[in-house]
Amino acid sequence: MKRIFFVDDSGPPLGHMLLALGGYLGGFDGNFLWNRIGAEYSMNVPVWSLRFLPALAGALCIPLAYQILVELQFSHCAALGAALLILLENSLITQSRFMLLESILIFFILLAVLSYLKFYNLQRHSSFSGGWWFWLLLTGVACSCAVGVKYMGLFTYMLLLAIAGLHFWHMLGDRNLSNVSLVCHFLARGLTLLVIPVAMYLSFFFVHLTLLYRSGPHDQIMTSAFQASLEGGLARITQGQPLEVAYGSQITLRNVLGKPMQCWLHSHTNTYPIRYENGRGSSHQQQVTCYPFKDVNNWWIVKDPGMQQLVVSNPPRPVRHGHIVQLVHGITTRYLNTHDVAAPLSPHSQEVSCYIDYNISMPAQNLWRVEIVNRESDTDVWKTILSEVRFVHVNTSAVLKLSGASLPEWGYRQLEVVGEKLSKGYHQSMVWNVEEHRYGKSQEQKEREVELHSPTRMDISKNLSFMAKFTELQWKILTLKNEDTEHKYSSSALDWITMDTNIAYWLHPTSGAQIHLLGNVCTWASANIAAVVYTCLSLWYLIRRRRKIYDIPEDAWQLWVSAGQICVGGWVVNYLPFFLMEKTLFLYHYLPALTFQILLIPIVLQHLSDHLCRSLLSKSMFNALIVAWFSSVCFAYRTFSPVTYGEPLSVAELKDLRWKDSWNILIRKQ
């Protein structure tokens, strides 16, 4: 609402933009701090509007589930059962009632599946018709939206691409289709399932970056070039700086990696201790560190080794890739130096210092070669903000690097800077860029100190292209890790199948009413059983078919396989990847996989009824069992509905809801 830039590690920006749209339509002005879970909303927050879209998406999942089973050629009774199971699933209801993205994600996933099934069914008798194109296009759009809400949507997108590829492979064997027709089918699928989704995905970021043009707390993890493209913040400081770094330029150098925090090359009058705590000796030279705050001691002067002057000549002489420079600390006027002395915390790397002449046999070694990493040619000029550079020590070939370790008290807990041998490979911690820049005008030290304390003001602009900003933001989203690796309600993927965990979303301060993310126990158990039954029956059928024994008709077998591709495949691709993820996991991550597993329940029940219950008596008994089972689903839904909708409960009632010891139901002490 305030157009302030932010980065969210949960994924692309579409979901947040949709929630923001609801807030905008409700008149929200953005004046609320979302910094504490459970905080009471102020009067200016249109809660109804912000919650409307997730609730609507959750409600629409019910008819989508019905239609999916119809398109899979199952009975309307089975389709109704799938819709009712989604309707009575407590976890899906809970997640839909808050300003959360899972219900929107599941909606787009189911919409993509339904659209593809409708397209595939039309394929048999009306290829390239208006309806055929509509459903194929909607498949690509829905897949793109699913990925745009959360990267978890990519799993279902990959599944549908695989199924579409398999179906096209089967088409290649159809001799009734001409080569031209096959090429047209291939191009149509490529356009709608690849090109358009990618274009839409890029458009989500384009809108996101267009709307959020103001600087905020999240832009600190971005590069200087990205920060400078935002209104306010760094842009206010760097606006109008000289573009080309020249001999005599006064600069601050920011480490590109930005981890463990953003910091700038820094020095101060303090020296390294003569001996460290472990007994190793040092050079006792002036400390060089990386400092995570703006400071006058972050300023350095780029000097030509062949000249004494520390000001920019007229006209300026730009520094190019491969040039040799000296870096002079602006306040202390000492030269950046490294030598064959072990660094304080990284003994396999060289110590970096500002050279002090103690009249001993340790001459200055202060020549550095400028290497522009992102250069287009070997004659590129070193540019403010835009150029990413390495400083290679001429004498030892060591590269100026941020080690990331925090120095002890004698180093004021600032970050260690070392010289790393080039042979150890390239890393972003070796790369720096000029953030603040001015052309030095004062040769006298006292005048220069006044100049270094003054703000920079000149007239030149630096604008990043959309693709450059998109690439950087995309990489940050993919690599951004939440520092809170543990959480009270975090869980492992193994906990989800048997629902051994829950999440408390809300607790009333006095009445004991609370809302938890808890599923319908009967539905979750039934979904697991359905998956096991499907797997066992499929293996049995495959073995028997290998022996030329066909237990079910061919059309029923194809129906069974198609249902498995969608439902079992959807469960597998939305669940198994979490075993490979190094991130904090929660129960709600399982909901897309659970949705596919729920769809499998009526499919298995209808199959058992149609093909295993041969007699009228067995069918009657099986139907009676289904009625009893569905009654238990309704009972479990009603039992846990108080913690789904936040109804007041007594302590005894809360204790009765703790069906598993691992559930963290909040019970106040009397």
Side-chain angles (χ1 to χ4, degrees), residues 167-463:
H167 289 165
F168 184 75
W169 178 257
H170 290 156
M171 289 177 63
L172 291 176
D174 187 353
R175 301 291 294 178
N176 295 322
L177 293 174
S178 65
N179 292 338
V180 174
S181 178
L182 286 173
V183 169
C184 291
H185 276 286
F186 178 79
L187 292 177
R189 286 160 174 77
L191 173 66
T192 54
L193 299 182
L194 290 175
V195 177
I196 290 178
V198 170
M200 286 190 62
Y201 183 76
L202 290 172
S203 72
F204 301 150
F205 280 87
F206 181 80
V207 174
H208 176 73
L209 293 170
T210 301
L211 292 176
L212 306 185
Y213 58 85
R214 291 176 178 160
S215 174
H218 285 206
D219 64 340
Q220 293 182 0
I221 66 173
M222 310 303 290
T223 63
S224 300
F226 194 104
Q227 293 183 52
S229 69
L230 300 173
E231 181 183 293
L234 182 61
R236 186 171 62 250
I237 299 171
T238 61
Q239 184 177 10
Q241 292 183 153
L243 178 61
E244 296 183 346
V245 177
Y247 291 108
S249 286
Q250 299 170 356
I251 62 174
T252 64
L253 290 166
R254 180 180 186 264
N255 190 265
V256 169
L257 180 63
K259 293 179 181 179
M261 61 190 75
Q262 63 169 353
C263 62
W264 293 263
L265 190 67
H266 175 94
S267 187
H268 40 243
T269 56
N270 301 70
T271 59
Y272 291 109
I274 296 177
R275 289 203 175 275
Y276 300 124
E277 291 82 350
N278 59 8
R280 287 191 299 110
S282 79
S283 66
H284 198 45
Q285 298 284 335
Q286 181 172 303
Q287 296 174 19
V288 171
T289 65
C290 206
Y291 189 51
F293 301 99
K294 301 283 187 182
D295 189 85
V296 69
N297 280 311
N298 298 345
W299 283 93
W300 299 81
I301 302 170
V302 181
K303 179 180 175 297
D304 184 345
M307 303 180 68
Q308 291 301 315
Q309 68 182 34
L310 297 177
V311 296
V312 176
S313 60
N314 189 16
R317 293 186 300 123
V319 180
R320 298 181 182 274
H321 170 75
H323 280 193
I324 306 299
V325 301
Q326 292 172 312
L327 292 176
V328 183
H329 188 239
I331 296 298
T332 64
T333 67
R334 292 197 170 112
Y335 289 62
L336 186 71
N337 185 85
T338 187
H339 33 234
D340 192 16
V341 175
L345 301 180
S346 306
H348 297 292
S349 301
Q350 292 179 192
E351 175 193 274
V352 175
S353 61
C354 278
Y355 183 74
I356 303 174
D357 189 359
Y358 289 120
N359 292 321
I360 58 175
S361 58
M362 185 181 284
Q365 297 181 359
N366 51 35
L367 299 179
W368 301 84
R369 184 171 66 254
V370 176
E371 292 188 354
I372 302 175
V373 177
N374 59 341
R375 65 185 182 276
E376 295 180 358
S377 71
D378 288 342
T379 59
D380 272 13
V381 174
W382 183 8
K383 295 178 181 177
T384 306
I385 290 180
L386 301 178
S387 294
E388 297 181 350
V389 302
R390 291 190 305 183
F391 297 98
V392 182
H393 191 238
V394 172
N395 297 79
T396 64
S397 297
V399 182
L400 190 69
K401 176 186 176 182
L402 169 68
S403 76
S406 293
L407 295 169
E409 290 295 336
W410 53 258
Y412 304 102
R413 302 294 179 187
Q414 296 174 19
L415 301 179
E416 181 190 42
V417 173
V418 300
E420 186 73 82
K421 292 294 185 181
L422 264 175
S423 59
K424 294 189 177 180
Y426 167 81
H427 192 264
Q428 270 196 313
S429 57
M430 298 177 174
V431 183
W432 306 79
N433 71 274
V434 174
E435 189 168 271
E436 295 179 73
H437 177 209
R438 65 164 67 85
Y439 282 164
K441 300 177 181 178
S442 305
Q443 184 68 32
E444 294 297 326
Q445 176 62 14
K446 288 187 177 180
E447 295 178 2
R448 188 162 55 244
E449 287 186 17
V450 173
E451 190 176 21
L452 291 171
H453 280 88
S454 64
T456 56
R457 284 290 182 271
M458 285 191 185
D459 187 21
I460 209 163
S461 61
K462 294 167 283 292
N463 293 319

Side-chain angles (χ1 to χ4, degrees), residues 45-276:
V45 180
V47 178
W48 189 92
S49 297
L50 287 165
R51 289 181 175 176
F52 173 74
L53 196 58
L56 177 63
L60 291 176
C61 289
I62 299 168
L64 287 176
Y66 180 92
Q67 285 295 321
I68 286 173
L69 260 72
V70 170
E71 293 300 321
L72 282 171
Q73 311 303 318
F74 285 89
S75 68
H76 286 276
C77 185
L80 179 61
L84 290 175
L85 288 173
I86 297 293
L87 175 66
L88 300 176
E89 176 46 48
N90 299 71
S91 60
L92 297 178
I93 297 171
T94 301
Q95 206 70 10
S96 302
R97 297 183 67 238
F98 290 95
M99 304 169 204
L100 301 171
L101 300 178
E102 277 67 32
S103 62
I104 302 175
L105 169 66
I106 294 171
F107 165 75
F108 282 123
I109 285 175
L110 294 182
L111 180 61
V113 171
L114 175 62
S115 301
Y116 183 80
L117 291 174
K118 283 186 171 291
F119 151 76
Y120 179 69
N121 290 332
L122 284 172
Q123 168 77 31
R124 302 171 184 176
H125 51 80
S126 55
S127 295
F128 299 104
S129 64
W132 185 91
W133 276 108
F134 173 79
W135 291 114
L136 181 58
L137 181 62
L138 186 57
T139 302
V141 170
C143 286
S144 181
C145 290
V147 178
V149 171
K150 277 197 168 187
Y151 284 126
M152 292 165 59
L154 185 64
F155 304 145
T156 303
Y157 179 36
M158 292 294 103
L159 174 67
L160 290 178
L161 283 180
I163 293 174
L166 181 63
H167 289 165
F168 184 75
W169 178 257
H170 290 156
M171 289 177 63
L172 291 176
D174 187 353
R175 301 291 294 178
N176 295 322
L177 293 174
S178 65
N179 292 338
V180 174
S181 178
L182 286 173
V183 169
C184 291
H185 276 286
F186 178 79
L187 292 177
R189 286 160 174 77
L191 173 66
T192 54
L193 299 182
L194 290 175
V195 177
I196 290 178
V198 170
M200 286 190 62
Y201 183 76
L202 290 172
S203 72
F204 301 150
F205 280 87
F206 181 80
V207 174
H208 176 73
L209 293 170
T210 301
L211 292 176
L212 306 185
Y213 58 85
R214 291 176 178 160
S215 174
H218 285 206
D219 64 340
Q220 293 182 0
I221 66 173
M222 310 303 290
T223 63
S224 300
F226 194 104
Q227 293 183 52
S229 69
L230 300 173
E231 181 183 293
L234 182 61
R236 186 171 62 250
I237 299 171
T238 61
Q239 184 177 10
Q241 292 183 153
L243 178 61
E244 296 183 346
V245 177
Y247 291 108
S249 286
Q250 299 170 356
I251 62 174
T252 64
L253 290 166
R254 180 180 186 264
N255 190 265
V256 169
L257 180 63
K259 293 179 181 179
M261 61 190 75
Q262 63 169 353
C263 62
W264 293 263
L265 190 67
H266 175 94
S267 187
H268 40 243
T269 56
N270 301 70
T271 59
Y272 291 109
I274 296 177
R275 289 203 175 275
Y276 300 124

Side-chain angles (χ1 to χ4, degrees), residues 598-653:
I598 289 175
L599 297 180
L600 187 62
I601 297 174
I603 290 173
V604 170
L605 291 177
Q606 179 177 332
H607 183 82
L608 294 176
S609 176
D610 291 346
H611 300 287
L612 297 185
C613 298
R614 306 294 175 96
S615 67
L616 183 61
L617 177 61
S618 60
K619 281 185 179 291
S620 300
M621 292 179 62
F622 188 74
N623 290 337
L625 287 174
I626 290 177
V627 171
W629 163 78
F630 189 75
S631 299
S632 66
V633 171
C634 295
F635 172 76
Y637 160 75
R638 188 64 193 95
T639 300
F640 290 98
S641 60
V643 291
T644 300
Y645 298 101
E647 300 171 4
L649 292 171
S650 65
V651 172
E653 290 172 325

Side-chain angles (χ1 to χ4, degrees), residues 454-654:
S454 64
T456 56
R457 284 290 182 271
M458 285 191 185
D459 187 21
I460 209 163
S461 61
K462 294 167 283 292
N463 293 319
L464 280 180
S465 66
F466 162 69
M467 286 306 298
K469 294 173 74 173
F470 163 76
T471 303
E472 180 178 341
L473 179 56
Q474 179 70 84
W475 177 251
K476 287 294 182 183
I477 292 174
L478 291 174
T479 58
L480 186 65
K481 290 186 178 180
N482 195 328
E483 294 181 359
D484 299 327
T485 55
E486 292 294 332
H487 190 280
K488 181 179 180 180
Y489 292 106
S490 63
S491 55
S492 69
L494 285 175
D495 296 329
W496 302 340
I497 296 180
T498 53
M499 202 168 61
D500 288 334
T501 182
N502 70 302
I503 303 176
Y505 279 162
W506 175 78
L507 173 67
H508 193 275
T510 58
S511 69
Q514 49 194 277
I515 296 178
H516 288 257
L517 182 63
L518 271 174
N520 187 310
V521 178
C522 186
T523 301
W524 285 52
S526 303
N528 292 330
I529 294 171
V532 172
V533 170
Y534 182 91
T535 304
C536 293
L537 275 177
S538 297
L539 289 173
W540 172 255
Y541 289 149
L542 284 171
I543 294 171
R544 301 269 289 177
R545 289 173 71 86
R546 187 66 176 169
R547 300 291 297 170
K548 306 299 182 182
I549 302 172
Y550 302 99
D551 298 289
I552 58 176
E554 186 61 25
D555 58 342
W557 168 250
Q558 293 300 328
L559 198 66
W560 180 251
V561 171
S562 299
Q565 289 175 345
I566 296 295
C567 299
V568 178
W571 177 77
V572 168
V573 300
N574 282 284
Y575 176 57
L576 295 186
F578 287 102
F579 286 96
L580 305 176
M581 293 185 184
E582 296 181 1
K583 62 177 291 185
T584 307
L585 300 177
F586 297 94
L587 183 61
Y588 55 72
H589 287 126
Y590 186 59
L591 295 183
L594 173 71
T595 304
F596 281 103
Q597 210 177 21
I598 289 175
L599 297 180
L600 187 62
I601 297 174
I603 290 173
V604 170
L605 291 177
Q606 179 177 332
H607 183 82
L608 294 176
S609 176
D610 291 346
H611 300 287
L612 297 185
C613 298
R614 306 294 175 96
S615 67
L616 183 61
L617 177 61
S618 60
K619 281 185 179 291
S620 300
M621 292 179 62
F622 188 74
N623 290 337
L625 287 174
I626 290 177
V627 171
W629 163 78
F630 189 75
S631 299
S632 66
V633 171
C634 295
F635 172 76
Y637 160 75
R638 188 64 193 95
T639 300
F640 290 98
S641 60
V643 291
T644 300
Y645 298 101
E647 300 171 4
L649 292 171
S650 65
V651 172
E653 290 172 325
L654 288 171

